[in-house]
Amino acid sequence: MTLIDGRAIAAAITAEVTETAAKLRESGTAPTLAVLVPTDDDAIAWYVRSIERAAKKVGVDCRVVQLEKPTGEDVTRELDKLSADQSVHGIICQTPLPEGVTLDDVGAHIDPHKDVDGANPVSLGRLTAGLPTYAPATAAAVLEILKREQVALSGAQVAVVGRSTVVGKPAALLLLGENATVTVCHSRTKDLAAVTKTADVLVVAVGRAHFVGADHVKPGAVVIDVGTNPTAEGGLVGDVDQAAVEEIAGSITPVPGGVGPVTTSLLLRHTVTAAQA
């Protein structure tokens, strides 16, 4: 089995983004990503700092907007302001949001031209229609990894486990765009293993530690593990039991070090692309 090196893929993307960002700066445009943080959650704070560090390395300005105990109206008001700010090219809104508020509620307040993480329903609609848009960065990372690993997708059987609008649905749409035959599985799927075991490519994004085991994987399959589940010891594990499937799968993304670094690099690439536009 081969471990897919997400950090190496992210480094290659970062090099490309750095070059483009430098040219933009030379022409007088400083690519700028705004990160709205409506929570004081420590895990989110760590993630935002990692985005700031990554942005600095590639020459993207990162503007963090921290809101203290906001209401839903506070969040939408700030997103409207950032959308109207011509110096901002990309906007992402962190979760969790205030109680009773979902990303679906506030995503429409992000200008689709600045929606670098695909939160606006318009972005998902354009993705469905096959029109140019920014897909959610995690879903885009799934496709980016498969392409960089030169996995043949046209005609391939692909199973996506999870149907969220953040990963499962957009990843399925992106894979359909590559002419894969895609089955989307979820909590109501009968005999999940019977479905996933036919897949040449298995994408798992359910948010449940070690949910997928050896009996779910076709011999030689490419497995993309999107899960990041915290452990009691302070580490992270994926949705796939890597130890159980490593003798069966052909290749797999590790957790950590797989999809996560690629996601961050794509957020920055989307921001630089938006700045170019």
Side-chain angles (χ1 to χ4, degrees):
M1 186 197 71
T2 302
L3 279 179
I4 298 171
D5 191 344
R7 291 189 175 97
I9 294 171
I13 298 168
T14 296
E16 297 159 7
V17 172
T18 301
E19 183 178 348
T20 307
K23 291 178 180 177
L24 279 168
R25 285 184 173 275
E26 288 171 7
S27 67
T29 297
T32 300
L33 172 66
V35 183
L36 183 62
V37 186
T39 175
D40 58 1
D41 183 281
D42 288 342
I44 299 303
W46 178 88
Y47 177 62
V48 170
R49 287 194 296 271
S50 73
I51 293 176
E52 288 183 285
R53 289 192 297 269
K56 185 175 181 179
K57 287 180 182 178
V58 302
V60 170
D61 292 345
C62 187
R63 184 187 305 177
V64 177
V65 180
Q66 182 78 50
L67 299 181
E68 300 296 334
K69 298 181 179 178
T71 64
E73 288 185 357
D74 294 332
V75 174
T76 56
R77 187 183 306 114
E78 194 62 43
L79 291 174
D80 287 337
K81 284 172 57 179
L82 293 170
S83 292
D85 187 339
Q86 293 188 2
S87 69
V88 172
H89 305 105
I91 302 168
I92 59 176
C93 181
Q94 292 299 300
T95 56
L97 291 161
E99 188 174 352
V101 179
T102 68
L103 196 56
D104 291 337
D105 298 326
V106 303
H109 291 264
I110 301 176
D111 182 340
H113 296 97
K114 302 182 180 185
D115 185 24
V116 293
D117 202 18
N120 192 318
V122 170
S123 300
L124 187 58
R126 291 182 65 85
L127 185 62
T128 303
L131 298 172
T133 191
Y134 300 110
T138 305
V142 171
L143 185 61
E144 188 77 22
I145 290 168
L146 292 169
K147 285 189 168 183
R148 298 256 177 179
E149 290 295 298
Q150 299 182 328
V151 176
L153 292 172
S154 182
Q157 295 286 337
V158 178
V160 177
V161 185
R163 53 178 170 177
S164 73
T165 56
V166 177
V167 186
K169 288 178 183 176
L173 291 167
L174 290 168
L175 290 160
L176 281 171
E178 298 298 317
N179 299 315
T181 300
V182 182
T183 302
V184 179
C185 307
H186 46 78
S187 60
R188 302 293 178 88
T189 300
K190 294 180 180 179
D191 198 352
L192 178 65
V195 178
T196 59
K197 211 159 187 177
T198 67
D200 305 306
V201 177
L202 177 58
V203 179
V204 189
V206 292
R208 293 175 61 182
H210 293 170
F211 179 73
V212 164
D215 58 343
H216 293 86
V217 179
K218 177 182 179 179
V222 179
V223 180
I224 307 296
D225 188 352
V226 183
T228 52
N229 306 286
T231 66
E233 297 76 27
L236 288 176
V237 296
D239 291 348
V240 177
D241 186 345
Q242 183 179 313
V245 307
E246 61 185 9
E247 297 299 323
I248 301 167
S251 58
I252 188 171
T253 55
V255 178
V259 175
V262 182
T263 298
T264 301
S265 66
L266 290 181
L267 279 173
L268 298 174
R269 185 169 78 182
H270 289 175
T271 301
V272 170
T273 301
Q276 284 180 300

